[in-house]
């Protein structure tokens, strides 16, 4: 995928970078052990401190293309025509997700000006257009002006003292942040004398802390740490500047699941999807197919001018036997390319610490209600609210309160060595599957294979929520008579008239009788009142998937019951626009 900012920041920066050497280092003369505890504002120690507390602008390089400053939140960008408001660091991930959605498109990012940028000394500058931003970005030379030190940080508060020329103390200040420290130093003249109250604690990039008791120890700690980590100060926001050592570590740390394969321009994903690859430190690689067969090969890495290369050789897996350019390493994902028509994408799968025995016991303790089922990208709404009972000896039942289907279940490892819940209910193929665990909580389970659009979400219900208080009260009110739809609206669209002919009777065993007109016909349905894992009261209605009653099939949020018990309001918030659907029942008089 070719990525660029249409204001050509990257092109400008590249031309500047080629003009200068990126391997320059600055010699720092460190203080001796006997140097006095006061230091000049222009000393090497003071300069190291200033660089350590300078503002790091590299985290938003995907937007501004410069590590010397960052854009102050909030601001708005257009990414491939989609407008986004960036309120926090996490929102920057949305930009990369859009860029990475397709690997062969052209990505364009536009900033909506004016914006405010924060420089290394925390000075803020208003930028009114692309030209102004490019001008500031051109002042940032990788390995040059952007000389902040990010591998070590101060732990605050820290007390600083000022002195006159006779080394008599003239004042003190307690600083609470990098910004306060940096601004303190910015207000000093070169020959001003200062001292730091020791001991001072510093935190390294790996989270460990060290304590220093003198200027000499402080300077040495910073000097030793400043090259100890990858500060990601280049302008490739994906952090693709990995080396051979990092690549080898990533490959051998965990197993890898194959998610996409393209060879000679032909998509081979279906053939190799979820093959499990294990790279070993001795240079061998084992691939396990979906039937559990092991295929052996070799691997090696090397550095090139274009980046790190991974070479794989197999006797059988000829589609994998190439030298691949490692295009991108994301969190738990790696992308390999070999020319335009060859691509492999793999997802890291580390050992799952879920206890199979513990999961089995959790499943057997209570009932589990289906919140959502998606099979092959199709949501099976008719199963909403159905109840699983996972019983000993591998027996499972699935019930809607009227009909019960029986099958088998077990917690096991599939061919890709993933923990799965295998269900087989012949009468209900919609749930018969090996469901890999994606999210495990005591009262909510999620099973998912997002690449092929399979998803199952279950909500635990113990003793039918009988001890909840609110749940039985709502249930009793709903069972206390017949009801009519007084309001059904989707946003501004009122569709209440579609339900004028229907009468709803909420019955025992979670059954609904829906009668058309005064004499019928009467249609069956399913209803439940539960409190979900987020503590919300929910009313599940399952009236099939045929409109107009199918529109009511939903896990509704409970809103209120009127004081006289004759009116119940429910709502549902859904869709990318978070549109609100309102459903109001009123008791039939």
């Amino acid at each position: 995928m070719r990525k660029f900012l249409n204001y050509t920041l990257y092109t400008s920066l590249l031309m500047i970078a080629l003009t200068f050497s990126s391997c320059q280092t600055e010699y720092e003369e460190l203080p001796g052990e006997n140097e006095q505890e006061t230091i000049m504002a222009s000393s090497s120690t003071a300069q190291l401190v200033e660089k350590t507390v300078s503002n790091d602008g590299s985290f938003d390089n995907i937007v501004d293309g410069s590590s010397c400053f960052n854009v102050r939140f909030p601001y708005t960008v257009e990414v491939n025509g989609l407008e986004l408001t960036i309120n926090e660091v996490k929102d920057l991930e949305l930009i990369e997700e859009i860029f990475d959605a397709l690997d062969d498109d052209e990505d364009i990012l536009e900033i909506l000006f004016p914006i405010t940028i924060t420089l290394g000394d925390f000075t803020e500058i208003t930028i009114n257009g692309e030209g102004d931003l490019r001008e500031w970005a051109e002042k940032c030379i990788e390995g040059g002006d952007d000389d902040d030190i990010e591998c070590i940080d101060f732990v605050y508060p820290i007390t600083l003292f000022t002195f006159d020329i006779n080394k008599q103390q003239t004042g003190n200040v307690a600083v609470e942040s990098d910004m306060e420290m940096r601004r303190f130093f910015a207000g000093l003249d070169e020959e001003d004398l200062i001292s730091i109250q020791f001991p001072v604690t510093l935190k390294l990039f790996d989270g460990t802390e060290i304590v220093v008791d003198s200027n000499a120890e402080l300077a040495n700690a910073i000097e030793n740490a400043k090259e100890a980590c990858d500060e990601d100060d280049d302008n490739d926001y994906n952090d693709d500047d990995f080396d051979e050592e990092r690549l080898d570590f990533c490959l051998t740390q965990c197993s890898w699941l194959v998610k996409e394969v393209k060879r000679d321009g032909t998509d081979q994903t279906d053939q190799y999807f979820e093959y499990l690859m294990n790279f070993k430190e001795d240079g061998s690689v084992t691939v396990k197919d979906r039937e559990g067969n092991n295929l052996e090969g070799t691997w090696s890495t090397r550095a090139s001018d274009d980046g790190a290369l991974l070479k794989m050789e197999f006797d059988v897996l000829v589609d994998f036997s190439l030298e691949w350019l490692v295009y991108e390493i994301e969190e738990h994902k790696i992308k390999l390319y070999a020319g335009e028509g060859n691509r492999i994408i793999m997802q890291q799968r580390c050992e799952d610490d879920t206890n199979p025995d513990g999961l089995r016991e959790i499943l057997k303790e209570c009932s589990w209600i289906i919140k959502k089922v998606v099979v092959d990208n199709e949501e099976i709404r008719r199963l909403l609210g159905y109840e699983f009972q996972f019983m000993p000896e591998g027996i499972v039942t699935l019930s809607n309160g009227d009909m019960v289907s029986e099958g088998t279940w077990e917690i096991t490892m599939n061919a890709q060595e993933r923990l799965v819940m295998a269900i087989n209910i012949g009468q209900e193929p919609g749930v018969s599957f090996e469901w890999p665990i994606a999210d495990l909580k005591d009262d909510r389970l999620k099973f998912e294979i997002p690449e092929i659009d399979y998803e199952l979400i279950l909500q635990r219900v113990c003793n039918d929520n009988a001890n909840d208080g609110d749940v039985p009260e709502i249930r009793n009110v709903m069972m206390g008579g017949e009801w009519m739809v007084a309001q059904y609206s989707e946003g501004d669209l009122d569709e209440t008239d579609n339900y004028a002919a229907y009468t709803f009777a909420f019955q025992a065993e979670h059954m609904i009788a829906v009668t058309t007109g005064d004499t019928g016909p009467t249609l069956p349905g399913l209803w439940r009142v539960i409190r979900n894992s987020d503590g919300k009261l929910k009313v599940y209605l399952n009236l099939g998937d045929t409109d107009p009653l199918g529109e009511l099939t939903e896990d509704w949020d409970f809103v209120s019951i009127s004081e006289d018990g004759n009116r119940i309001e429910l709502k549902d918030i859904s869709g990318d626009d978070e549109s609100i659907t309102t459903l109001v029942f009123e008791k039939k008089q």
Side-chain angles (χ1 to χ4, degrees):
M1 174 173 14
R2 186 161 65 90
K3 302 181 175 73
F4 66 96
L5 306 187
N6 79 333
Y7 44 79
T8 65
L9 274 178
Y10 292 158
T11 303
S12 301
L13 291 171
L14 178 61
M15 295 301 295
I16 294 172
L18 292 174
T19 309
F20 294 86
S21 169
S22 61
C23 300
Q24 293 175 340
T25 58
E26 181 180 351
Y27 175 71
E28 288 284 358
E29 183 178 348
L30 301 180
E33 290 293 335
N34 297 322
E35 184 174 329
Q36 295 187 23
E37 288 305 305
T38 56
I39 57 175
M40 270 191 171
S42 58
S43 67
S44 59
T45 300
Q47 290 174 17
L48 284 170
V49 172
E50 274 193 84
K51 292 176 182 179
T52 303
V53 299
S54 293
N55 179 47
D56 172 28
S58 62
F59 67 88
D60 64 349
N61 286 353
I62 192 170
V63 173
D64 59 26
S66 173
S67 298
C68 297
F69 56 79
N70 65 273
V71 183
R72 191 182 72 184
F73 302 123
Y75 57 91
T76 303
V77 296
E78 282 191 2
V79 186
N80 292 351
L82 179 65
E83 188 171 297
L84 299 176
T85 298
I86 309 300
N87 294 300
E88 57 182 338
V89 173
K90 188 175 182 180
D91 292 340
L92 297 170
E93 297 175 7
L94 299 175
I95 300 175
E96 188 166 342
E97 287 176 9
I98 295 172
F99 278 2
D100 288 346
L102 297 173
D103 290 304
D104 52 4
D105 65 337
E106 186 174 74
D107 292 311
I108 300 175
L109 184 147
E110 294 183 346
I111 300 174
L112 275 62
F113 295 94
I115 59 172
T116 300
I117 62 172
T118 304
L119 305 182
D121 62 358
F122 294 93
T123 299
E124 293 189 339
I125 305 293
T126 299
I127 304 296
N128 293 307
E130 296 173 6
D132 291 345
L133 186 63
R134 184 164 59 249
E135 186 176 326
W136 278 98
E138 289 172 352
K139 298 176 182 178
C140 180
I141 303 169
E142 293 187 25
D145 289 349
D146 179 28
D147 53 6
D148 60 316
I149 296 173
E150 301 159 32
C151 299
I152 190 168
D153 294 299
F154 286 98
V155 177
Y156 296 97
I158 294 174
T159 300
L160 305 169
F161 302 95
T162 57
F163 296 84
D164 61 21
I165 195 171
N166 297 316
K167 295 188 178 181
Q168 297 298 308
Q169 182 178 330
T170 58
N172 66 83
V173 60
V175 294
E176 301 281 348
S177 65
D178 284 350
M179 182 175 67
E180 291 183 8
M181 179 86 87
R182 187 67 169 80
R183 288 180 173 173
F184 171 82
F185 275 89
L188 298 173
D189 293 329
E190 288 188 359
E191 296 184 358
D192 284 349
L193 294 174
I194 60 171
S195 73
I196 302 172
Q197 185 178 68
F198 292 101
V200 167
T201 302
L202 300 109
K203 180 177 289 188
L204 296 173
F205 64 95
D206 61 2
T208 59
E209 293 186 349
I210 58 176
V211 178
V212 296
D213 292 299
S214 67
N215 290 328
E217 289 183 13
L218 174 62
N220 279 299
I222 297 175
E223 185 69 28
N224 291 334
K226 71 178 185 179
E227 303 294 340
C229 69
D230 173 18
E231 296 185 346
D232 196 22
D233 278 342
D234 45 15
N235 292 306
D236 62 337
Y237 53 84
N238 274 316
D239 193 17
D240 296 333
D241 52 333
F242 46 87
D243 55 21
E244 222 177 320
E245 184 178 352
R246 179 188 168 201
L247 175 59
D248 290 354
F249 175 77
C250 287
L251 288 171
T252 57
Q253 185 181 24
C254 298
S255 302
W256 294 86
L257 285 168
V258 175
K259 295 300 182 181
E260 184 178 338
V261 177
K262 189 176 182 181
R263 185 65 194 264
D264 297 329
T266 302
D267 191 340
Q268 304 281 12
T269 302
D270 288 344
Q271 179 179 351
Y272 299 113
F273 181 73
E274 294 230 324
Y275 274 35
L276 185 70
M277 306 190 73
N278 283 288
F279 295 89
K280 302 175 184 177
E281 294 182 0
D282 63 3
S284 64
V285 55
T286 301
V287 180
K288 182 175 290 187
D289 65 19
R290 289 192 294 271
E291 285 71 44
N293 301 311
N294 287 328
L295 309 171
E296 303 293 336
T298 61
W299 69 281
S300 61
T301 59
R302 69 180 181 90
S304 73
D305 292 339
D306 295 324
L309 297 172
L310 168 63
K311 185 176 183 179
M312 293 187 286
E313 293 182 297
F314 296 91
D315 292 333
V316 178
L317 290 174
V318 293
D319 289 332
F320 289 68
S321 297
L322 271 178
E323 188 167 48
W324 302 85
L325 172 66
V326 184
Y327 172 73
E328 189 172 300
I329 292 181
E330 301 175 355
E331 185 177 6
H332 310 305
K333 184 179 288 186
I334 188 169
K335 296 182 180 180
L336 308 175
Y337 288 82
E340 293 185 3
N342 301 291
R343 175 169 70 228
I344 296 176
I345 298 178
M346 301 185 296
Q347 181 176 329
Q348 192 178 52
R349 191 194 69 78
C350 295
E351 289 297 323
D352 195 328
D353 59 358
T354 302
N355 183 340
D357 292 333
L359 178 57
R360 291 187 189 99
E361 293 307 312
I362 290 174
L363 284 166
K364 290 187 290 185
E365 284 177 359
C366 301
S367 300
W368 292 85
I369 308 303
I370 294 178
K371 173 179 171 57
K372 185 178 183 181
V373 184
V374 177
V375 174
D376 197 17
N377 201 31
E378 180 181 351
E379 184 171 357
I380 306 178
R381 292 170 58 83
R382 61 181 174 79
L383 293 177
L384 177 71
Y386 275 48
E387 178 184 289
F388 277 116
Q389 288 278 358
F390 297 96
M391 294 179 287
E393 300 179 358
I395 303 299
V396 61
T397 60
L398 181 65
S399 170
N400 65 355
D402 179 30
M403 297 179 296
V404 179
S405 300
E406 184 175 300
T408 61
W409 72 284
E410 65 174 325
I411 303 298
T412 185
M413 305 294 287
N414 67 5
Q416 284 70 46
E417 299 179 12
R418 299 178 70 181
L419 192 65
V420 298
M421 178 176 68
I423 298 177
N424 186 4
I425 300 179
Q427 303 95 318
E428 185 45 75
V431 296
S432 297
F433 193 68
E434 286 188 349
W435 296 97
I437 293 176
D439 186 25
L440 172 61
K441 299 178 182 176
D442 287 345
D443 50 6
R444 182 180 179 274
L445 294 173
K446 182 177 181 180
F447 306 84
E448 185 178 26
I449 307 179
E451 294 80 7
I452 56 175
D453 296 308
Y454 274 69
E455 184 178 9
L456 173 64
I457 300 177
L458 304 180
Q459 172 69 49
R460 185 170 74 162
V461 177
C462 296
N463 298 322
D464 216 13
N465 290 146
N467 298 321
D468 183 274
D470 292 327
V471 170
E473 179 182 351
I474 297 169
R475 188 178 292 140
N476 289 337
V477 170
M478 295 180 72
M479 294 176 65
E482 295 183 330
W483 299 81
M484 306 287 290
V485 174
Q487 180 186 349
Y488 179 83
S489 58
E490 296 181 356
D492 297 329
L493 181 62
D494 192 326
E495 300 181 23
T496 307
D497 289 345
N498 293 343
Y499 305 96
Y502 297 103
T503 301
F504 299 80
F506 299 95
Q507 302 173 342
E509 302 298 328
H510 309 295
M511 301 301 297
I512 308 175
V514 183
T515 304
T516 306
D518 294 330
T519 59
T522 298
L523 305 173
L526 171 68
W527 73 290
R528 294 184 184 275
V529 181
I530 67 172
R531 190 180 296 276
N532 71 3
S533 58
D534 295 325
K536 293 181 179 179
L537 288 166
K538 306 285 284 189
V539 177
Y540 281 52
L541 299 180
N542 187 338
L543 299 170
D545 51 14
T546 302
D547 293 339
L549 291 177
E551 292 291 326
L552 306 185
T553 297
E554 191 62 74
D555 56 329
W556 297 88
D557 291 338
F558 172 80
V559 178
S560 64
I561 294 178
S562 62
E563 291 186 5
D564 59 10
N566 292 329
R567 186 178 187 277
I568 299 172
E569 181 177 346
L570 311 174
K571 72 175 181 180
D572 176 62
I573 302 175
S574 61
D576 294 336
D577 58 351
E578 295 190 340
S579 61
I580 299 177
T581 302
T582 300
L583 173 61
V584 177
F585 287 108
E586 287 187 354
K587 189 172 291 187
K588 190 174 181 180
Q589 302 300 320

